[in-house]
Amino acid sequence: MTASAVATTAARSVPRGLVPASFVLGGTVVSLVGLTWDIQWHTDVGPDTFFTLPHLFLYSGSAISGIASLIVVLMTTAAERRGKAVDPMVGGRAVSVFGRTFAAPVGYLISGAGAASFLLYGLWDQWWHGLYGFDAVIASPPHIGLLLSISITMVGAVMVFSVARNERWGLYGTIGGAAVLLTFSMVTVLGLQALPRGIVNSVNVGVAFLSVMILIMGGRALNRRGGALTVAVVVAAIQAVFWWFSPWATEVYANATGLPLRDYTDGVPALPAMIPMCLVIVGVAVELLHKLPAPIVGAVGGLIVTACAPLQHVLVYDGSWPRSATSYVATVVLGTLFGALAGLLGRRFGQMLRHLAPAKETSHA
């Protein structure tokens, strides 16, 4: 039997291709929908309990990704115990877990680990609601843990698809997974609000760092012209859809449950407004400067995001330009420096994604 025939036979022992990967990515999309809905609920309505429809979207999305990851891990383990080699194109090379008790493709291992930690933080969140009742804000300790857990699952989804980036479904999935991860990451940046206030807007710097890093990572993982720009365009599309969906779903659910909207709501969708509207410009800059060192490319991206952030605030919230020029300049300078770091890390992470399945690339050489 030839090597290709062996790989084909082994691949049948575990689910491969679009089906299991789409469940993992689909679960993260469901969680993202629940998140934008939940944030808008906190903004327009206020307190909530553990069992709300937005929360159920968050929980079910993580459950879908986790169950799909668990099934792949169990089937991979069974295949290896029968002495069958597992195709590394199924979520990456299989690694031993718990003293070789399980064999898990690395992409599904990461997505499953995020879903498992989400379960633990979900139990903590239920206890938290039972102890304190309503949540007045989204930034409670168990919520931060839940957000980080979902982020880990999203990283696993990107890994699963990037292994098969030479396939059409792998290419689209990598772009979609990176876009979902970038959109979701804008919420985790809110944790920087806990830092002592100074002349620097730490949230804007954090937004620049994560958005530039994920854009460059996606472009490098795909290793083709237009990769980073395509991720930015998909993020813009998600932003546009959520701009309509978030307030609409919140109002419909509030009316269904008999709860009034707050009188002082400004009508601005909370999560979509956190996403930089200049990301397409950043994507164009990344594509044009792709031959330059990654820190320089990242620095340009960080500069664009932090420089445009006050303008976005003025346009969206009808606010005013920062009164302190010192604060604005300091934020832009720090955003540029962190952008340089984001460029370096994004390039490295993208390269790591490309090395998840080196055997596949070698076979095409």
Side-chain angles (χ1 to χ4, degrees), residues 140-166:
S140 66
H143 284 176
I144 296 299
L146 289 171
L147 295 176
L148 292 176
S149 298
I150 299 175
S151 297
I152 294 173
T153 300
M154 291 179 174
V155 170
V158 175
M159 295 172 66
V160 168
F161 278 98
S162 65
V163 173
R165 63 190 172 276
N166 292 324

Side-chain angles (χ1 to χ4, degrees), residues 2-365:
T2 63
S4 60
V6 173
T8 302
T9 302
R12 294 172 181 169
S13 301
V14 295
R16 66 169 303 182
L18 180 61
V19 175
S22 62
F23 273 102
V24 174
L25 180 58
T28 63
V29 172
V30 172
S31 294
L32 181 60
V33 171
L35 178 68
T36 187
W37 192 355
D38 189 49
I39 292 176
Q40 199 65 38
W41 180 269
H42 282 278
T43 302
D44 291 349
V45 180
D48 63 3
T49 59
F50 181 80
F51 293 104
T52 64
L53 199 53
H55 281 183
L56 292 180
F57 266 72
L58 278 166
Y59 307 145
S60 61
S62 188
I64 292 170
S65 298
I67 292 173
S69 300
L70 178 61
I71 290 174
V72 173
V73 169
L74 292 178
M75 297 187 72
T76 302
T77 302
E80 286 213 345
R81 288 185 177 179
R82 291 196 299 268
K84 295 184 177 181
V86 178
D87 189 349
M89 295 303 291
V90 183
R93 287 196 178 106
V95 296
S96 299
V97 182
F98 298 134
R100 298 187 177 182
T101 302
F102 299 99
V106 63
Y108 289 103
L109 174 62
I110 299 300
S111 60
S117 61
F118 181 92
L119 174 61
L120 298 177
Y121 282 112
L123 294 175
W124 185 17
D125 189 41
Q126 185 178 20
W127 173 85
W128 186 273
H129 280 285
L131 184 63
Y132 297 107
F134 291 111
D135 263 347
V137 295
I138 195 171
S140 66
H143 284 176
I144 296 299
L146 289 171
L147 295 176
L148 292 176
S149 298
I150 299 175
S151 297
I152 294 173
T153 300
M154 291 179 174
V155 170
V158 175
M159 295 172 66
V160 168
F161 278 98
S162 65
V163 173
R165 63 190 172 276
N166 292 324
E167 304 287 342
R168 186 182 299 273
W169 64 267
L171 171 65
Y172 294 157
T174 302
I175 294 171
V180 169
L181 175 61
L182 194 157
T183 303
F184 195 91
S185 297
M186 298 300 97
V187 181
T188 59
V189 174
L190 294 179
L192 296 176
Q193 292 176 338
L195 295 177
R197 290 189 177 182
I199 63 172
V200 174
N201 189 321
S202 58
V203 173
N204 287 348
V205 174
V207 167
F209 174 76
L210 286 177
S211 58
V212 171
M213 182 182 69
I214 296 174
L215 279 184
I216 293 178
M217 179 193 73
R220 180 54 184 161
L222 297 173
N223 198 31
R224 62 179 66 199
R225 295 300 302 274
L229 177 58
T230 305
V231 173
V233 170
V234 174
V235 172
I238 294 173
Q239 186 179 29
V241 172
F242 282 173
W243 201 278
W244 160 80
F245 171 79
S246 302
W248 171 82
T250 299
E251 183 176 1
V252 169
Y253 188 47
N255 292 336
T257 55
L259 295 175
L261 298 177
R262 286 170 169 167
D263 295 333
Y264 55 85
T265 56
D266 50 22
V268 176
L271 174 58
M274 299 178 192
I275 306 170
M277 295 180 176
C278 59
L279 281 183
V280 173
I281 299 176
V282 176
V284 171
V286 171
E287 299 299 336
L288 293 176
L289 304 175
H290 72 281
K291 292 184 178 181
L292 296 179
I296 295 178
V297 179
V300 172
L303 171 65
I304 294 173
V305 174
T306 48
C308 294
L311 177 61
Q312 178 170 327
H313 182 79
V314 171
L315 295 175
V316 173
Y317 293 100
D318 196 22
S320 58
W321 195 264
R323 297 180 180 179
S324 173
T326 302
S327 175
Y328 176 70
V329 172
T331 300
V332 172
V333 170
L334 193 60
T336 302
L337 294 176
F338 270 88
L341 177 61
L344 178 62
L345 293 177
R347 184 69 63 86
R348 295 288 180 87
F349 290 152
Q351 191 66 28
M352 291 168 63
L353 289 174
R354 291 187 56 78
H355 285 156
L356 284 175
K360 181 67 175 179
E361 294 190 354
T362 302
S363 63
H364 286 287

